[in-house]
Amino acid sequence: MPPQFGTSGLRGRVMDLTPACVTDHVRAFAATCKTGSGLFVARDLRGSSPAIASVVMQAGQAAGLAVTDCGAVPTPALAFAAMQAGAAAVMVTGSHIPADRNGLKFYTPTGEITKQDETAILAALGRDWPDLAGPPTQSVDVGPVYQSRYVQGYGKALAGLRLGLYAHSAVGRDLMGDLLKALGAEVVMLGRSDTFIPVDTEAVDPATKAQLADWARAHGLDAILSTDGDGDRPLMTDENGQLIAGDVMGQITAQCLSARCVVTPVSSNTGVLAGGFTQVLRTKIGSPHVIAGMHALGGQVAGFEANGGFLLGFDAEGPAGPVPALMTRDALLPMLALLAACGGRPVSALVAAQPARFTAADRLQDVPTLLSGRWVASMRDDAGLRAAFVANLGLKERTLDLTDGLRITCVDGRVIHLRPSGNAPELRLYVEAESPDLAQSTLMAGMDVLRQIIVRA
């Protein structure tokens, strides 16, 4: 399958992300989108990322842009620095997908590209572009600017906490460790890897869950913190090593920062509706849809996704000072907000105080998008097929939501949500239930049924 351009930028197999393909997309971006004072470029820790980043920078120079090499830093750190400098940005990352794939995320000086920007870029692909020879590339360390956002907002809010940092191959692992120490925490580094590990914060494998619980017990930790590969999705456990759902983190963070309105995709759990917000807008899945909703509402608005990536649409106040707006997914803010909100209580107690709605998610990998899309469409159009599917789980459909994929609310209150991934050959299954155990058991049963269906297809 050739590289695809959509919700999360350009994604594809490394072997298909040729210099010509990458150059074409960067030049189309430069020609159709605002670039401001130049182009900031960064990358994750995949083996393929340095070479692809080099192509991106060469393409930016050929487009006449002043290119700044930011090195290996998290996506939100790149975006924050670029926006402060009034520049565009390109992040070379495949996020949470396997190492044989990679991609590009595009930012204008005001933040992530919009759906309209995507359309313009796609229309400009394949053109012949003149070489304009921009100035020589400069290098800048944007990590300190990113760290300062949290230091000024949270001061020494983590003093007295003993935190585990699951480093794996996350690009921001060292930056994050330094920040946690600056905020007063004692940090125990865990699971550092020189080989890229694709960590999907919405679908953590059983072996990793068990390892997190073992680490929490062995080291006497108050919590374990981590991110996906490029640092825009949080992964966090409580003191027992139990994972905290990203959407639960999102609703707590929005409350802590005094957001009045919240925008979140339909895949997030419905507990946010009981969060006391003036308005909750639920959108299609993907940060461009969340950002569009945030712009539509305006004011003290925050956004978050089921994966935990948090978007702040206004200048908020932390316990020690201001927390500037950042309209792109960020992993650090929700984890810091939760820890600061605990006030000496265990993290598990803060989570337990939230509405009793729990989500679980997984995906079937290596399922062609055409196949999964065709199957989901058949389920959408045939009530009998849907009834048979949920009956295999001991459930019965009550209502159907077609905002994004198929979201089936069942008579007993459980939710079954099926959706082809927008940026990888995967079929995703989201489940919501009244307890973590029920959500997980329903998810496992649903995955078993999906495997049988896809194999037959």
Side-chain angles (χ1 to χ4, degrees):
M1 178 184 294
Q4 293 182 309
F5 186 80
T7 300
S8 292
L10 181 67
R11 289 275 181 88
R13 296 181 302 173
V14 171
M15 61 183 296
D16 296 324
L17 291 170
T18 62
C21 173
V22 171
T23 297
D24 193 18
H25 282 81
V26 173
R27 294 300 303 266
F29 166 66
T32 59
C33 299
K34 294 180 179 178
T35 55
S37 63
L39 181 69
F40 281 35
V41 180
R43 62 185 185 275
D44 66 14
L45 297 181
R46 293 164 191 268
S48 61
S49 291
I52 296 175
S54 178
V55 173
V56 171
M57 289 187 282
Q58 291 171 16
Q61 282 184 306
L65 302 178
V67 176
T68 300
D69 182 1
C70 300
V73 295
T75 296
L78 170 71
F80 188 58
M83 282 186 265
Q84 287 202 326
V90 174
M91 178 70 184
V92 179
T93 181
S95 187
H96 61 281
I97 59 179
D100 64 344
R101 296 180 172 90
N102 213 326
L104 308 177
K105 292 182 178 179
F106 295 92
Y107 292 80
T108 68
T110 57
E112 292 186 35
I113 58 172
T114 65
K115 302 304 289 185
Q116 291 78 14
D117 292 330
E118 289 178 16
T119 300
I121 293 169
L122 285 169
L125 293 175
R127 297 182 186 174
D128 291 327
W129 306 104
D131 287 336
L132 302 178
T137 299
Q138 296 182 331
S139 296
V140 172
D141 181 3
V142 302
V145 175
Y146 182 54
Q147 287 175 316
S148 68
R149 180 177 188 242
Y150 310 102
V151 172
Q152 70 178 358
Y154 286 88
K156 294 293 183 180
L158 306 189
L161 295 179
R162 182 174 166 84
L163 303 175
L165 175 53
Y166 174 33
H168 62 92
S169 53
V171 69
R173 56 195 180 183
D174 294 326
L175 182 155
M176 188 172 167
D178 291 342
L179 173 63
L180 295 176
K181 293 174 186 176
L183 297 177
E186 178 187 357
V187 178
V188 179
M189 293 293 265
L190 305 165
R192 189 183 185 95
S193 174
D194 292 328
T195 302
F196 186 80
I197 300 173
V199 172
D200 186 341
T201 62
E202 286 187 277
V204 180
D205 62 89
T208 300
K209 290 180 181 178
Q211 180 65 81
L212 292 167
D214 288 345
W215 279 331
R217 287 191 297 268
H219 296 282
L221 303 173
D222 293 300
I224 298 175
L225 282 61
S226 188
T227 73
D228 64 342
D230 69 317
D232 66 352
R233 303 180 182 195
L235 185 152
M236 182 176 178
T237 80
D238 63 15
E239 71 280 3
N240 302 308
Q242 297 301 304
L243 286 168
I244 303 169
D247 44 13
V248 172
M249 295 172 65
Q251 63 198 39
I252 294 173
T253 304
Q255 291 168 340
C256 290
L257 296 174
S258 300
R260 293 178 182 171
C261 301
V262 167
V263 181
T264 192
V266 293
S267 54
S268 295
N269 84 62
T270 54
V272 67
L273 300 175
F277 302 108
T278 302
Q279 185 173 359
V280 176
L281 176 63
R282 295 168 71 80
T283 71
K284 288 186 176 182
I285 297 171
S287 52
H289 299 294
V290 174
I291 290 171
M294 293 173 69
H295 282 307
L297 294 183
Q300 286 185 224
V301 62
F304 63 85
E305 297 189 87
N307 56 45
F310 194 87
L311 304 94
L312 184 61
F314 64 102
D315 292 331
E317 285 291 323
V323 180
L326 179 56
M327 288 281 279
T328 191
R329 283 188 309 219
D330 179 37
L332 282 181
L333 183 56
M335 294 189 287
L336 300 182
L338 260 69
L339 292 172
C342 286
R345 294 178 294 164
V347 173
S348 60
L350 178 64
V351 174
Q354 301 306 303
R357 300 303 297 173
F358 300 89
T359 54
D362 205 344
R363 79 280 196 215
L364 286 182
Q365 295 177 287
D366 299 319
V367 179
T369 303
L370 183 62
L371 173 61
S372 59
R374 185 167 58 234
W375 181 75
V376 170
S378 67
M379 289 272 285
R380 176 197 65 206
D381 298 335
D382 191 328
L385 284 179
R386 293 198 306 276
F389 177 77
V390 296
N392 282 324
L393 307 178
L395 300 171
K396 184 177 180 180
E397 178 182 320
R398 185 177 70 196
T399 60
L400 180 65
D401 185 336
L402 300 178
T403 300
D404 197 342
L406 284 175
R407 185 174 174 86
I408 304 168
T409 299
C410 299
V411 172
D412 73 346
R414 275 181 279 181
V415 176
I416 308 296
H417 187 174
L418 295 154
R419 175 183 177 268
S421 172
N423 51 45
E426 299 172 348
L427 176 59
R428 287 190 171 267
L429 173 62
Y430 308 86
V431 172
E432 180 180 332
E434 63 188 19
S435 74
D437 289 344
L438 186 57
Q440 189 61 38
S441 62
T442 305
L443 176 69
M444 294 173 64
M447 290 297 293
D448 287 341
V449 173
L450 286 179
R451 289 187 189 96
Q452 296 173 25
I453 292 172
I454 295 301
V455 167
R456 289 199 300 268

